[in-house]
Amino acid sequence: MLLITPDELKSYSVFESIKTRPDEMLKQDILEATADIILKVGHDFSDSEYIPLPETVRLALLKLSQFYALINGDESIIKGYTTEKIGDYSYTLGDGSSLQKPDVYALIKDYVKPADPDLEGIEAKVRMRSI
């Protein structure tokens, strides 16, 4: 389920590498970002109350999708380069560090569903014995 389109991502981004990235690859990047957001909020925005998608959630998806597109399309990270330039933007990776995922919690915090109270605090006990 795509909550944003590759064309929306291309319009949002200033990076040439994203604007020229094939739509099929951008769809995968968007799915990766969507899965990340769904994990954080605890639901998939399929309810009618989320049509249209809230602007802050849309922005969070655009930011994360852009991040995944840059990471997934950047072979310098795989090759272990320490500096890279994308358009007018350059970054340095050193000492095992990497680009950091954007923190979008402030954008999605109003849509986080609390954990099921019936399941909170339940501990499972397992006994094992040899056969």
Side-chain angles (χ1 to χ4, degrees):
M1 165 176 79
L2 291 180
L3 298 175
I4 60 172
T5 66
D7 286 337
E8 288 174 305
L9 181 54
K10 287 177 182 180
S11 294
Y12 169 78
S13 184
V14 297
F15 299 112
E16 193 59 34
S17 62
I18 292 177
K19 293 181 183 292
T20 59
R21 191 164 166 82
D23 283 356
E24 285 305 311
M25 294 178 101
L26 287 175
K27 285 179 185 178
Q28 300 304 314
D29 303 324
I30 292 167
L31 285 174
E32 198 171 355
T34 302
D36 199 351
I37 296 283
I38 288 172
L39 179 66
K40 289 178 178 162
V41 297
H43 61 94
D44 63 3
F45 295 97
S46 61
D47 294 342
S48 61
E49 68 184 288
Y50 301 117
I51 298 173
L53 191 65
E55 283 300 308
T56 56
V57 174
R58 185 175 175 282
L59 180 58
L61 279 167
L62 288 167
K63 286 181 169 296
L64 278 178
S65 297
Q66 176 177 258
F67 168 78
Y68 284 121
L70 287 171
I71 293 297
N72 294 338
D74 187 0
E75 65 184 64
S76 68
I77 291 174
I78 297 167
K79 291 181 179 178
Y81 295 158
T82 57
T83 61
E84 179 68 21
K85 185 173 183 178
I86 300 175
D88 292 336
Y89 177 76
S90 65
Y91 59 90
T92 302
L93 304 175
D95 301 328
S97 64
S98 62
L99 289 176
Q100 291 189 357
K101 189 182 334 182
D103 182 9
V104 296
Y105 183 74
L107 295 169
I108 62 172
K109 69 179 175 60
D110 293 338
Y111 304 99
V112 175
K113 292 206 174 173
D116 187 352
D118 295 336
L119 299 177
E120 259 183 50
I122 295 177
E123 293 180 29
K125 292 183 181 181
V126 177
R127 288 187 185 192
M128 297 181 75
R129 61 184 171 144
S130 62
I131 299 178

